[in-house]
Structure formats: structure tokens, C-alpha cells
Amino acid sequence: MSVQATARITAAPDGRGSTALPVLESEGPLALRRTRSAAAGRARITVVGAMSAPLGGDRLAVEVRAEAGARLTVDSAAATVALPGAVPDAGPASYDIRIEAGREAEVRWLPEQLVCAHRSALTMTTRAELAPTARLVLREEQVLGRHGEPTGTLTTRLTVHRAGRPLLDQQLAYGPGAPGGWDGAAVLGGHRAVGQLLVVDPAYEEEPVPSASLGPTAVLTPLPGPGVLVTALAPDARLLRGLLDEALERLSPR
């Protein structure tokens, strides 16, 4: 039997210089735990997998809302592994992330990797709605197949709107059924770990970040707005995380 579950987080200033969590709702395999934050004034939530998911046919969602002035980090305790499931013809699983950040709010979405196991099928969508003065740091990492196995099918879409206007709309597809050439030299070039780091910061309006190569398999691209997208490839998850961590350090305020 497939699972339908939605976890909800709302962050708001507590009036004492910190961030409160008036809404923290777990459901199904999505267990939310408040954990210690290294940054003063910031709340941190860790998503803990309470059961194996997503499996074929599952419908999972996480809704994050940061009210004006709130500062929130959401991460996860372990990698998410997309599996085929036991029900034949259950169809692809779906995993939807919705992020809303109000004025002067900051959201850092930093989960662990998504691993697409052999014969799995997953559609993942991430949509962010940002106020003009909101800040977003978002990292997505996909590992195509567990060690020594072919990948499943993965389709991802990342959409970001700022002040009601589109800032980024990107769709990627890998695995059986994806458009031809996804694993060729012009796309993955034999790599099996791919990631994106998106930073949206109003400060970039006055001081744009120039495009740059971050090595042979990573590139930093300024967006037509106050945002920067880093795209990286690597042979494995560890090396991919290293590339994205270096990029985030480069983009962090001095």
C-alpha cells in the first residue's frame, strides 16, 4: 500500500531575538525533530526517516514557511533512498518540497543526498516563493544508484519565484525513460553524483557574483536576479559534497 504524508514547519520570530516554531507537524515516514543550531537566533529542524520511503506510489511532501524575520535551517539525519516498492505497477513515487520565506526571512534547506536505487521511479519537485528581501540557501544532491548498481528513474524540477516573478525553473531527468543522452559525455560523462547549490541573496543586486569554473566538473552561474546557481558532478557523494561545501563557503558573507 502506498503512503501519503505531509510534514509542515512554520518558523516565526519569538520577540527575543530567536526563532520559534509554532507549527511542527510530522506525518508518516517524515519525522521532524528540533535540533541544536550552531547559529544564534536560528531554529534548526532535522528530518528523520521513520520508515522506508519513498517507495513506488508514495506521495510525500514537506511544507516550510518562514515568517517575516525568521531564520530556519532544515536538514536530514541520513540520505533518502528511493526504492521500487513491493506493489507492481504502483507508479512513480513523488516527493514535493514547498518553501515560503517572508520579508527579511532566511531559509537554509540542506538535506542529505537522495539515492535513486535500481528499478525505483521518483518525481521530485521543489518550489520556493520568496519575498524581495528574503534569503535562501538550497542544496540538492542526487546519487544515481547504490554502489555497483544501475540507477532508477529520477525526474527533478526546481522552481523559484521572488517577489512573484520567476527566478529559476530547471528540470532534470535521469535513468530509464529519460531523454536520450542523459548519461553521455555532454551531460553526466560517466559520473553518478550530481548536485545543485542555489543561493538567493538581496545583496547580490548591488554586488553581483561573476560566473566561474569551480574545477573540471563544477560551475558557478549568476542568475538574472539576486541569485547564484552552482551545478556540480562527481564520481560519488563524498566528492560531490566537497565541491558544494567549497562553493557555499565561497558564497558566504565575508
Side-chain angles (χ1 to χ4, degrees):
M1 179 180 293
S2 61
V3 173
Q4 297 188 30
T6 300
R8 296 178 176 87
I9 305 167
T10 297
D14 65 357
R16 300 188 300 274
S18 189
T19 298
L21 297 165
V23 176
L24 192 61
E25 298 179 359
S26 303
E27 191 172 55
L30 302 170
L32 306 177
R33 300 289 183 265
R34 182 158 190 170
T35 47
R36 185 182 300 275
S37 174
R42 183 191 306 277
R44 177 186 172 196
I45 295 298
T46 299
V47 182
V48 179
M51 56 191 288
S52 294
L55 307 177
D58 287 353
R59 301 289 182 265
L60 307 181
V62 178
E63 298 177 357
V64 178
R65 183 177 179 223
E67 297 183 356
R71 301 176 65 206
L72 175 68
T73 295
V74 183
D75 56 21
S76 60
T80 297
V81 182
L83 297 167
V87 179
D89 303 321
S94 68
Y95 193 8
D96 299 327
I97 295 98
R98 299 291 180 265
I99 298 171
E100 181 182 344
R103 56 183 177 80
E104 306 295 336
E106 180 179 339
V107 176
R108 298 170 68 89
W109 176 262
L110 301 171
E112 294 301 307
Q113 297 88 359
L114 169 66
V115 181
C116 192
H118 185 43
R119 295 193 177 92
S120 67
L122 176 66
T123 298
M124 182 174 181
T125 59
T126 304
R127 183 179 179 88
E129 298 282 350
L130 310 177
T133 54
R135 188 171 188 268
L136 173 67
V137 177
L138 182 147
R139 182 185 68 213
E140 292 188 340
E141 299 167 301
Q142 297 92 29
V143 179
L144 304 178
R146 292 170 294 191
H147 181 70
E149 73 173 9
T151 184
T153 299
L154 175 64
T155 301
T156 71
R157 185 171 182 180
L158 172 59
T159 306
V160 180
H161 284 78
R162 176 178 178 268
R165 302 181 64 181
L167 180 66
L168 175 67
D169 193 342
Q170 172 179 277
Q171 181 165 311
L172 305 171
Y174 310 103
W182 63 269
D183 58 347
V187 183
L188 294 181
H191 296 91
R192 282 296 179 264
V194 57
Q196 303 82 40
L197 173 69
L198 172 67
V199 180
V200 181
D201 193 327
Y204 295 158
E205 290 185 307
E206 296 183 3
E207 296 184 24
V209 178
S211 60
S213 172
L214 304 179
T217 59
V219 62
L220 183 155
T221 305
L223 301 177
V228 175
L229 179 67
V230 176
T231 304
L233 299 172
D236 57 42
R238 181 183 64 84
L239 294 175
L240 177 66
R241 176 63 59 83
L243 288 170
L244 296 181
D245 283 350
E246 289 178 14
L248 183 56
E249 183 177 356
R250 176 173 181 158
L251 294 169
S252 297
R254 294 179 178 82

